[in-house]
Amino acid sequence: MSSSELPADFPSDSLALTVKPKHYDIATTEQAMRRANGRLFSIAEILRHNGFPAHVADEQGRTEAGNEELTMQALRLHVPSPVQAAMGLCLLELRKGILRVAVSDRVDDADFLHISNSLAQAKYKVDKVEVESWDRAALLRLMREQSEMAGDRLIRTFAALSRDPDNAMMIEEAVHDILAEALQSRTSDIHLSLHDDNARCWIRYRVDGDLVYKHLLPHRVMAPIVTRIKTDAKMDAADRQRPQDGRLVFEWQGRMIDVRCAALPVSPSGEKLTLRLLDRENLRSFDELFLHAPSVGERLRKAIHGHTKDGGLIVVSGPTGSGKSTTLYGIIQEIDRASRAVYSVEAPVEYDMPLVDQTSVSDNSVNSIADIIRALMRHDPDVIIVGEMRDSDTVEAALRATESGHTVITTVHSVDALHTLDRIDGFLTAAYRTSGLYILGHALIASLSQRLVKTVCPACHTKDTALSIYGSLARCGDIGVDPFASLSLAAQTGCDLCNHSGYLGRTLALEAMFPPEDQSSRRAITEMMISNVTTSIVDVPGTFYMPRRQSLVDLITRNAIDAHMGAAMLIEETATSTGRGG
């Protein structure tokens, strides 16, 4: 719901408020919950209590949505999803008499006539049909998402549980539909909050990097759901005083989904449950990962398929949630695991990988990651995967493994490809620093740094020329785009497919650095690291460096990301590069 479409019963003291749709939805949901418990709060009071910004808007700025417009969800009421699927198409929207339709193959005119007649019977007129050609896989995914109705079942299940919270069958069904709805909406993590205050018992989904407040439940409904999940994950359901970890398996659409669970006590007497959904279908192949960075992919492939026992270090860096693990698993898939002994040590193991001996390390494990790496030296490894280097012992053990002639592939938290080297340096103890940097300088194969950037929704995005978007030829030149190129813009109100966000999915913004292979250059790089001047490494002859700016410009020109967002990220990247002396 947009701020210009406030309902008739919107509280009088808030009629002039303009709020973000997601903030308004949260406030109205909380208002209903509090009203059910006999407490009356206005929307404005709830907005202020939650700290959501709101400001006075011009009353004349309000407009009513035209009754001739139909969203994707509304179109399904008149042309059901099975009928659309049988025709091999998906209806996107009807706006001002123009019906937008996504297809992958040619569609018979008789199908369009049938659709127009169905809409005409409902008093909606179709003046023109705009056909958009979609990739077949993308269209099938869209059809599947539109046919799934787990969310509708979930609302009914919550209502039934509210009347009978001890119904074990309903609790099981609620857990099933929460997971199904989350997977259907491309959720990576589910957050469940259990508090004595009903207005704080939210179920939230992280979709494309953003948290979405999805369901607000009474305590009497949330409590048995949390207990059931903890029980299924082999955790102590009665213990709410200490952190716990667990795991469960969920079957969805014919495949098994691993669900990693973590419980945490929160003040004053509540509990937080976070579920990480690990769907192997979301793993991307090596070719997919580096499709638009072929020079990076080819150099990495050459290093992976090089001679065994030469040793080397490949580091993937980025902030939390930037897809490092996905890239790590994509690289693993490229390794010839039939002829090489590949081991991994992770905290914990996320995806089960065929032909890889995986060791999981937790906080309660007797052995640390460094202990396992050292133990692996006695098991004839060719490649060692280290889930993350996060302490001095792990870094030292990983470097010593490369010195012994093993290929080590790992991740680390850092802001860019060059800062990764400083980050590793920061882990080294004073006694080991010179030796460690010498090994790093001679063993480093590649330093990759990545971010995940939201991609525009293919169903509702708009396009305009770069000159119109950026306002001047000089600005287009600074960004590096053709002034007359057609660029994508995310729709402010979005559509049903993207949950009215304007964005659908995320893509990789990559930075990569490959040092030269000759020994004299390696010695020079080692001296630079010892002297803390890693920014000069890109100037060493033979070094291959692809800045993130290049990747962002490519994403803008390929219409993968919003032009304004891309420009803002370029400004941020330029500031970061200037700050580090690049």
Side-chain angles (χ1 to χ4, degrees), residues 101-104 131-135:
V101 183
V103 303
S104 63
V131 177
E132 299 181 8
S133 180
W134 279 41
D135 175 74

Side-chain angles (χ1 to χ4, degrees), residues 354-403:
L355 306 181
V356 177
D357 293 306
Q358 297 173 277
T359 300
S360 184
V361 177
S362 67
D363 293 337
N364 298 322
S365 298
V366 175
N367 298 309
S368 66
I369 294 178
D371 292 332
I372 301 298
I373 295 174
R374 286 189 284 266
L376 288 176
M377 294 298 96
R378 298 188 293 274
H379 290 270
D380 187 31
D382 294 308
V383 180
I384 299 174
I385 314 296
V386 181
E388 181 184 345
M389 294 199 300
R390 55 187 180 187
D391 57 56
S392 58
D393 285 345
T394 302
V395 171
E396 181 175 342
L399 290 176
R400 291 193 184 279
T402 64
E403 187 180 27

Side-chain angles (χ1 to χ4, degrees), residues 219-240:
H219 178 275
R220 66 179 181 277
V221 175
M222 181 69 84
I225 291 174
V226 168
T227 298
R228 178 56 186 264
I229 293 174
K230 291 178 67 177
T231 301
D232 289 347
K234 305 296 188 295
M235 291 189 280
D236 184 352
D239 186 355
R240 292 181 175 169

Side-chain angles (χ1 to χ4, degrees), residues 41-227:
F41 289 86
S42 70
I43 294 293
E45 288 174 320
I46 294 175
L47 289 169
R48 285 193 292 269
H49 174 74
N50 289 321
F52 294 148
H55 61 273
V56 177
D58 183 2
E59 189 69 24
Q60 296 180 350
R62 304 182 185 280
T63 59
E64 294 297 329
N67 60 9
E68 65 176 7
E69 298 182 1
L70 290 177
T71 63
M72 185 183 300
Q73 182 176 359
L75 284 166
R76 292 206 308 270
L77 299 176
H78 307 290
V79 185
S81 296
V83 175
Q84 296 183 37
M87 295 178 178
L89 53 80
C90 188
L91 305 182
L92 300 177
E93 70 171 0
L94 175 64
R95 185 186 295 271
K96 297 182 179 179
I98 300 176
L99 179 66
R100 292 176 54 227
V101 183
V103 303
S104 63
D105 300 313
R106 186 180 180 279
V107 179
D108 292 337
D109 292 338
D111 290 336
F112 289 129
L113 181 61
H114 175 76
I115 292 170
S116 298
N117 290 337
S118 298
L119 293 173
Q121 291 176 5
K123 310 302 182 185
Y124 292 101
K125 183 180 179 182
V126 177
D127 298 320
K128 180 183 177 182
V129 177
E130 290 186 352
V131 177
E132 299 181 8
S133 180
W134 279 41
D135 175 74
R136 181 173 179 79
L139 183 61
L140 289 174
R141 184 166 57 250
L142 172 59
M143 290 178 178
R144 183 181 66 191
E145 289 175 350
Q146 293 308 301
S147 64
E148 292 283 345
M149 303 301 288
D152 294 339
R153 293 195 308 270
L154 198 51
I155 299 300
R156 295 193 297 270
T157 303
F158 286 153
L161 270 178
S162 183
R163 295 187 296 269
D164 183 10
D166 296 324
N167 189 321
M169 185 176 296
M170 282 295 176
I171 295 170
E172 181 180 359
E173 187 173 332
V175 173
H176 178 281
D177 285 344
I178 288 170
L179 292 170
E181 182 187 52
L183 288 161
Q184 178 188 329
S185 58
R186 310 180 318 280
T187 296
S188 61
D189 299 86
I190 303 173
H191 296 247
L192 300 96
S193 298
L194 179 63
H195 294 272
D196 291 335
D197 182 355
N198 288 335
R200 298 178 65 187
C201 294
W202 278 99
I203 297 177
R204 298 175 292 169
Y205 298 159
R206 186 171 294 280
V207 181
D208 297 338
D210 292 332
L211 270 180
V212 178
Y213 283 73
K214 197 68 177 180
H215 304 288
L216 182 60
L217 307 180
H219 178 275
R220 66 179 181 277
V221 175
M222 181 69 84
I225 291 174
V226 168
T227 298

Side-chain angles (χ1 to χ4, degrees), residues 13 34 149 202 243 280 292 389 402 406 459 461 465 558:
D13 66 333
R34 293 192 180 279
M149 303 301 288
W202 278 99
R280 290 184 60 86
H292 299 291
M389 294 199 300
T402 64
H406 305 98
H461 76 279
T465 63
R558 286 196 290 108

Side-chain angles (χ1 to χ4, degrees), residues 15 43 56 101 104 151-152 169 205 210 221 229 274 277 305 325 337 346 374 418 447-448 469 476 487 538 557 561 567:
L15 263 175
I43 294 293
V56 177
V101 183
S104 63
D152 294 339
M169 185 176 296
Y205 298 159
D210 292 332
V221 175
I229 293 174
T274 303
L277 305 181
H305 293 292
S325 295
R337 286 160 288 155
E346 304 167 62
R374 286 189 284 266
L418 291 174
S447 175
L448 310 179
I469 293 171
C476 292
L487 305 181
V538 296
T557 55
I561 65 174

Side-chain angles (χ1 to χ4, degrees), residues 286 290 297-308 314 330-336 340 383 407 409 445:
F286 185 89
F290 302 105
E298 285 305 312
R299 288 173 180 270
L300 205 53
R301 180 179 279 112
K302 179 182 176 182
I304 292 172
H305 293 292
H307 297 295
T308 60
I314 298 172
I331 294 174
I332 293 173
Q333 293 179 65
E334 182 63 21
I335 298 172
D336 181 8
R340 293 193 177 187
V383 180
T407 299
I409 306 174
I445 294 173

